[in-house]
Amino acid sequence: MEPGGCDAGPTVKAVAAVLPAGGSGERLGGATPKQFCTVQGRPLVSYTVRAVERVSWISDIIVVVSPENIETMKSIIEKYGHKRVTVTEGGITRHRSIFNGLKLFSENKFSNHLLQKPEVVVIHDAVRPFVEEDILLKVVMAAKEHGAAGAIRPLVSTVIASAADGCLDHSLERTKYRASEMPQAFLFDIIYQAYQQCTDYDLDYGTECLHLALKYCKTNAKLVEGTADLWKVTYKRDLYAAESIIKDSLSQQICIITDVKEAVVQVGFLLHESLRSQIKVETISISLSKRDNHLQNIFSGQCYNFVCINDKKYATEEIQQLVDMLEESNIPLLHPVVLISVHLNTSENASFSIDLEELTKMKKFAREVKRKNILVYGLLIQYKDYFPLQETVNSAAALTMALIKDRNPELTGQLVVA
Amino acid sequence: MEPGGCDAGPTVKAVAAVLPAGGSGERLGGATPKQFCTVQGRPLVSYTVRAVERVSWISDIIVVVSPENIETMKSIIEKYGHKRVTVTEGGITRHRSIFNGLKLFSENKFSNHLLQKPEVVVIHDAVRPFVEEDILLKVVMAAKEHGAAGAIRPLVSTVIASAADGCLDHSLERTKYRASEMPQAFLFDIIYQAYQQCTDYDLDYGTECLHLALKYCKTNAKLVEGTADLWKVTYKRDLYAAESIIKDSLSQQICIITDVKEAVVQVGFLLHESLRSQIKVETISISLSKRDNHLQNIFSGQCYNFVCINDKKYATEEIQQLVDMLEESNIPLLHPVVLISVHLNTSENASFSIDLEELTKMKKFAREVKRKNILVYGLLIQYKDYFPLQETVNSAAALTMALIKDRNPELTGQLVVA
Ligand SMILES: [Mg+2]
Ligand SMILES: [Mg+2]
């Protein structure tokens, strides 16, 4: 492809990306390399691939993994519907892995077909899942001009040099130095030439691609200030942070669906008002049996949270219809979707009877759709004298926010009471 | 105090700690400085103070805050029952703040009484809450021998120097450098002298205490390899990580309390067996009305999770007794305690009736004890033919783990069904 102005892409002939994902993750203290650790049930590398893949002007994405993880990586690509991705075998060090990835564009001994040689190649770590198009564009454009470019960040800690006796030799003035992060980008011919000329020592002990471009091609990379979200998942705490960031990003908007009955529409309105200071809300009143285009659009979009209000006690049929529509929307369910089934209890009775058999059915249903990455919860709103108390609606809103923010798979099929 | 061998403390005359907490937290992107951001409802600085305070051989802890936060900090100390802590006013930079803290031991213009001058002073950031006694001991002993010492960590990213044109000048060989972290420790006379001789330029633009000891006192600090948990809470993602780490640490053990009825004891045993592969479990069968010493000991210990099983539908009285015992245990409730009230439903009836008025009472009760940092949840176990299914118990165990790991304050007072 040849990206141009309308695409907001760089005016570069072809851009490809190489994602080294061969690390062994010993710093995490676990057996699983960090790129394959799951966040919300999905391997970290899939988030990173998705972040690169959604940039339309990047034509090919090479993921380089160690030999024992080739099949794992291929199944991840299959499961999450990734496109334009080629998996290839890494070497024993980071530089050897990146070199292997680059060879796919120049030598065909690693692959059946030679990929189109890009003008610029992006190198990005598989464990930096939050990379944005903006910084990718910046490093690509800078690489086109300067031959090489890389994202940098201010140092968080002072950097020091130790003497042979384990004592401080000197500390570096923090403002004069930067942390070299990813993504980086290079004119393909420059970085490929650097790797071809690279000594075995550099291939085995070096880690910094910018250094190779400088040392072997006399190319001083342009340094581009990046944002904090470029950070590398290194320790277990970083996986925790990644999980929270992803949960946060999934809790930005919610769709309230009501049928067309007056009481139900009214509660939908009140819940909408109570939620709107915390989250972007869209409310629609429709008959679920008719397939609504607007609803279909919402399902195909970036909304991962749905509240379905009705006055039936076990709205199994309605929830099943929503699940069907989600599945038909044809986007892979990359993230868990939350579906809260709100039941309005209009009975004047002070006691609410739970049919344990019905509840068991509901839990079984929830367990089944959980496999499809849909999390179903029940929420009861007490609706007395055809007027729900504001306090009850506020409690329902708080419970809704708690359920979508936590996205706890163990609590699916449960009924919470506002 | 003079710590000796039996205390496992250093053979140092007196050790004090200064915690600079004057940062403005602009990197977090929020208005609240990060040390005052709450994690599980409690300000981060309180976790750090607690981590230092539990080290018995540290006699005085000085927390240095900016003038506008003096009262906030004092109320935190009051609320969380911190001891041996003095709050003092910081300067406009990190170094000026630390210097102000040190002056409390030498000049009494900042305080009514002069604190005992320590032999060694530890300097530790208020935003590094996971510091362990082990590393504190190591830096203190090294400071006694070398005059100064500081924790270091390997660099996560390559460090580079940029040229005036914003291009790469050179990259540092990562293995030759280290990140300087906290805690650091100094012979008091050395660091105090360094600050007294320090130029205004260094006081305003420097950040590294080890550098001052070297520059002004020719003291080459001993560098001590620290663990990954010394990291500094800098960005919002670090707060997320801190929250998950704290929740993890609170989910290490659980106490199951049953009354002495056979059926209840039996379910307690089965739940114990189902939980024990995931968490350390202790089960006791007692009559709650008698005050049990063993139970009292557990309440005074480090257990933050309790499951109370009985066959009463609304065990308000039993839960109230447990709450009273928790409060009487006289330890400040630093962390939220989870209390799961398990109800065994022995009725043969296929429907379980929830009395909405009783549930409202339960939710109100849960809301009240939440203010005391106790999170109460209900859990229903269906107990048919006097024999609960293994599947039901496993489901109860999974729900228990989910509730204690999430510690979600919004879901208190709810009844989940196994
Ligand atoms: Mg520092
Ligand atoms: Mg790097």
Side-chain angles (χ1 to χ4, degrees):
Chain A
M1 70 177 296
E2 181 144 7
C6 70
D7 202 3
T11 51
V12 176
K13 270 221 314 262
V15 181
V18 172
L19 310 187
S24 65
E26 65 267 334
R27 273 187 286 200
L28 263 178
T32 307
K34 52 197 180 294
Q35 60 276 22
F36 296 116
C37 287
T38 57
V39 175
Q40 292 263 295
R42 181 175 156 208
L44 194 64
V45 63
S46 170
Y47 291 93
T48 312
V49 167
R50 177 72 194 134
V52 177
E53 161 186 74
R54 70 188 167 181
V55 177
S56 59
W57 45 262
I58 294 180
S59 48
D60 287 299
I61 302 165
I62 315 295
V63 182
V64 193
V65 296
S66 53
E68 67 271 24
N69 290 317
I70 294 271
E71 288 314 310
T72 303
M73 192 62 222
K74 282 184 176 167
S75 69
I76 289 168
I77 286 164
E78 168 78 21
K79 179 169 180 185
Y80 295 99
H82 296 304
K83 312 285 180 208
R84 316 193 312 268
V85 177
T86 304
V87 179
T88 195
E89 203 172 290
I92 52 166
T93 66
R94 176 179 160 83
H95 272 330
R96 289 188 188 275
S97 289
I98 295 170
F99 193 15
N100 277 5
L102 295 173
K103 282 176 186 166
L104 289 194
F105 300 105
S106 259
E107 299 173 19
N108 61 5
K109 70 176 173 179
F110 285 87
S111 163
N112 293 330
H113 65 290
L114 201 60
L115 295 167
Q116 187 204 354
K117 196 184 89 168
E119 183 181 0
V120 172
V121 64
V122 170
I123 297 174
H124 186 68
D125 288 324
V127 290
R128 299 186 194 250
F130 302 111
V131 62
E132 295 284 351
E133 175 164 357
D134 178 57
I135 186 74
L136 288 165
L137 184 58
K138 279 182 183 159
V139 294
V140 165
M141 294 311 288
K144 187 170 156 76
E145 188 182 341
H146 296 268
I152 55 169
R153 288 285 303 158
L155 294 174
V156 168
S157 305
T158 302
V159 173
I160 57 177
S162 59
D165 62 352
C167 285
L168 175 69
D169 187 76
H170 64 278
S171 59
L172 303 181
E173 211 176 306
R174 213 196 281 186
T175 53
K176 291 193 179 157
Y177 293 87
R178 293 287 181 278
S180 171
E181 308 288 346
M182 291 275 152
Q184 296 178 347
F186 302 87
L187 286 173
F188 182 84
D189 292 336
I190 285 184
I191 192 68
Y192 197 67
Q193 189 194 324
Y195 273 111
Q196 283 177 309
Q197 297 177 359
C198 193
T199 63
D200 277 343
Y201 182 88
D202 277 342
L203 279 176
D204 286 338
Y205 298 103
T207 54
E208 184 52 63
C209 301
L210 301 183
H211 173 72
L212 299 187
L214 178 61
K215 179 169 175 183
Y216 294 103
C217 299
K218 309 274 173 288
T219 301
N220 290 73
K222 179 70 180 176
L223 304 176
V224 181
E225 286 284 349
T227 51
D229 51 14
L230 290 180
W231 111 102
K232 176 162 68 172
V233 172
T234 307
Y235 300 105
K236 195 177 179 190
R237 67 167 185 265
D238 295 314
L239 279 173
Y240 287 143
E243 175 127 12
S244 295
I245 289 169
I246 289 162
K247 281 183 177 177
D248 241 21
S249 76
L250 296 178
S251 307
Q252 299 301 309
Q253 58 172 308
I254 193 164
C255 175
I256 300 175
I257 302 159
T258 76
D259 63 28
V260 289
K261 285 183 203 157
E262 194 191 330
V264 175
V265 170
Q266 186 203 1
V267 171
F269 173 77
L270 290 174
L271 189 60
H272 182 121
E273 288 305 299
S274 185
L275 281 169
R276 56 183 279 195
S277 64
Q278 304 165 72
I279 189 170
K280 194 182 152 213
V281 196
E282 175 151 20
T283 300
I284 48 177
S285 300
I286 50 151
S287 170
L288 270 181
S289 51
K290 296 176 201 144
R291 291 306 164 96
D292 186 89
N293 270 342
H294 185 52
L295 191 58
Q296 199 65 51
N297 285 344
I298 292 172
F299 278 124
S300 306
Q302 294 300 306
C303 187
Y304 287 93
N305 310 289
F306 299 91
V307 172
C308 179
I309 311 178
N310 56 67
D311 57 2
K312 292 184 192 165
K313 199 157 178 184
Y314 299 97
T316 329
E317 208 179 310
E318 283 74 7
I319 293 297
Q320 182 66 60
Q321 276 171 338
L322 287 175
V323 167
D324 290 345
M325 289 175 88
L326 271 169
E327 288 200 281
E328 281 164 25
S329 70
N330 241 344
I331 46 160
L333 289 174
L334 290 176
H335 300 288
V337 167
V338 169
L339 207 55
I340 301 174
S341 173
V342 175
H343 167 57
L344 294 188
N345 180 32
T346 52
S347 138
E348 292 294 306
N349 210 321
S351 107
F352 176 77
S353 159
I354 295 180
D355 186 321
L356 288 171
E357 273 178 30
E358 284 291 341
L359 195 71
T360 303
K361 269 191 215 163
M362 198 64 185
K363 285 174 67 183
K364 196 172 160 230
F365 172 74
R367 203 157 49 231
E368 270 160 29
V369 297
K370 189 157 70 175
R371 287 196 210 108
K372 298 169 186 166
N373 225 1
I374 301 170
L375 308 176
V376 174
Y377 307 95
L379 169 59
L380 175 71
I381 294 185
Q382 193 60 12
Y383 188 82
K384 263 187 187 164
D385 306 325
Y386 287 86
F387 197 79
L389 291 169
Q390 187 62 46
E391 198 189 333
T392 308
V393 171
N394 290 346
S395 165
L399 288 167
T400 298
M401 289 306 297
L403 290 173
I404 71 169
K405 281 192 173 171
D406 263 10
R407 242 158 253 273
N408 193 325
E410 293 297 342
L411 296 181
T412 60
Q414 295 292 335
L415 178 73
V416 297
V417 181
Chain B
M1 71 178 296
E2 182 145 7
C6 69
D7 202 3
T11 51
V12 176
K13 268 219 319 259
V15 181
V18 172
L19 311 187
S24 65
E26 65 265 334
R27 272 187 287 200
L28 264 177
T32 306
K34 52 197 180 292
Q35 61 275 22
F36 296 116
C37 287
T38 57
V39 175
Q40 291 262 296
R42 181 174 157 209
L44 194 63
V45 63
S46 170
Y47 291 93
T48 312
V49 167
R50 178 72 194 134
V52 177
E53 161 186 74
R54 70 189 167 179
V55 177
S56 60
W57 45 262
I58 295 181
S59 49
D60 287 299
I61 301 165
I62 315 295
V63 181
V64 193
V65 296
S66 55
E68 68 271 25
N69 289 318
I70 294 271
E71 288 314 311
T72 303
M73 191 62 222
K74 282 184 175 167
S75 69
I76 289 168
I77 287 164
E78 168 78 20
K79 180 169 181 187
Y80 295 99
H82 295 305
K83 311 287 180 206
R84 314 191 318 263
V85 177
T86 304
V87 179
T88 196
E89 202 172 290
I92 52 166
T93 65
R94 177 178 160 82
H95 272 330
R96 289 188 189 275
S97 289
I98 296 170
F99 193 15
N100 277 5
L102 295 173
K103 282 175 185 168
L104 289 193
F105 300 105
S106 259
E107 300 173 19
N108 61 5
K109 68 176 174 181
F110 284 88
S111 164
N112 292 331
H113 64 290
L114 200 61
L115 295 167
Q116 187 204 353
K117 197 184 90 168
E119 184 182 0
V120 173
V121 64
V122 170
I123 298 174
H124 186 69
D125 289 324
V127 290
R128 300 185 194 249
F130 301 110
V131 61
E132 296 284 351
E133 176 164 356
D134 177 58
I135 186 74
L136 288 165
L137 184 58
K138 280 181 183 159
V139 293
V140 165
M141 295 310 289
K144 187 170 157 74
E145 189 182 339
H146 297 267
I152 54 169
R153 288 285 302 158
L155 294 173
V156 168
S157 305
T158 301
V159 173
I160 57 177
S162 60
D165 61 353
C167 285
L168 175 69
D169 187 76
H170 64 278
S171 59
L172 303 182
E173 211 177 305
R174 213 196 279 186
T175 53
K176 290 193 179 159
Y177 293 87
R178 293 287 182 277
S180 171
E181 308 287 346
M182 290 277 152
Q184 296 178 348
F186 302 87
L187 285 174
F188 181 84
D189 292 335
I190 284 183
I191 192 68
Y192 196 68
Q193 188 193 324
Y195 273 111
Q196 283 178 309
Q197 298 177 359
C198 194
T199 63
D200 277 343
Y201 183 87
D202 278 342
L203 279 177
D204 286 338
Y205 298 102
T207 54
E208 184 53 63
C209 301
L210 301 183
H211 174 71
L212 299 187
L214 178 61
K215 180 170 175 183
Y216 294 103
C217 299
K218 309 273 174 289
T219 301
N220 290 74
K222 179 71 180 176
L223 304 176
V224 181
E225 287 283 349
T227 52
D229 51 13
L230 289 180
W231 110 102
K232 176 162 69 172
V233 173
T234 306
Y235 301 105
K236 194 176 179 190
R237 67 168 186 265
D238 296 314
L239 278 174
Y240 287 144
E243 176 127 14
S244 295
I245 289 169
I246 289 162
K247 281 183 178 177
D248 241 21
S249 77
L250 295 178
S251 307
Q252 299 303 307
Q253 59 173 306
I254 193 164
C255 175
I256 299 174
I257 302 160
T258 76
D259 63 27
V260 289
K261 284 181 203 155
E262 194 191 331
V264 175
V265 170
Q266 185 203 3
V267 172
F269 173 78
L270 290 173
L271 189 60
H272 183 121
E273 289 304 300
S274 186
L275 281 169
R276 57 183 279 195
S277 64
Q278 305 165 70
I279 189 171
K280 196 182 151 211
V281 196
E282 175 151 19
T283 300
I284 48 177
S285 301
I286 50 149
S287 169
L288 270 181
S289 50
K290 295 177 201 142
R291 290 306 165 96
D292 186 89
N293 269 342
H294 185 52
L295 191 58
Q296 200 65 51
N297 285 344
I298 292 171
F299 278 124
S300 306
Q302 294 300 307
C303 186
Y304 287 94
N305 309 290
F306 299 91
V307 172
C308 179
I309 311 178
N310 56 67
D311 57 2
K312 291 184 192 166
K313 198 157 179 184
Y314 300 97
T316 329
E317 206 179 310
E318 282 75 8
I319 293 295
Q320 183 65 62
Q321 275 170 339
L322 286 176
V323 167
D324 291 346
M325 289 175 88
L326 270 167
E327 289 201 280
E328 280 164 26
S329 71
N330 241 342
I331 46 159
L333 289 173
L334 291 175
H335 300 287
V337 166
V338 168
L339 208 55
I340 300 174
S341 174
V342 175
H343 168 57
L344 294 188
N345 180 32
T346 52
S347 137
E348 293 293 307
N349 209 321
S351 107
F352 176 78
S353 159
I354 296 180
D355 185 321
L356 288 171
E357 273 179 30
E358 285 291 340
L359 195 71
T360 304
K361 268 191 215 163
M362 199 64 185
K363 284 174 67 183
K364 197 172 160 229
F365 172 74
R367 204 158 47 232
E368 271 160 28
V369 297
K370 189 158 70 174
R371 286 197 210 107
K372 298 170 185 166
N373 225 1
I374 301 170
L375 308 176
V376 175
Y377 308 94
L379 170 59
L380 175 71
I381 294 185
Q382 192 61 12
Y383 188 82
K384 264 187 188 164
D385 306 326
Y386 286 86
F387 197 78
L389 291 169
Q390 187 62 46
E391 199 189 333
T392 307
V393 171
N394 290 346
S395 165
L399 288 167
T400 298
M401 289 306 296
L403 290 173
I404 71 170
K405 280 192 173 169
D406 264 10
R407 243 158 252 273
N408 193 324
E410 294 297 341
L411 296 181
T412 60
Q414 296 291 336
L415 179 72
V416 297
V417 181

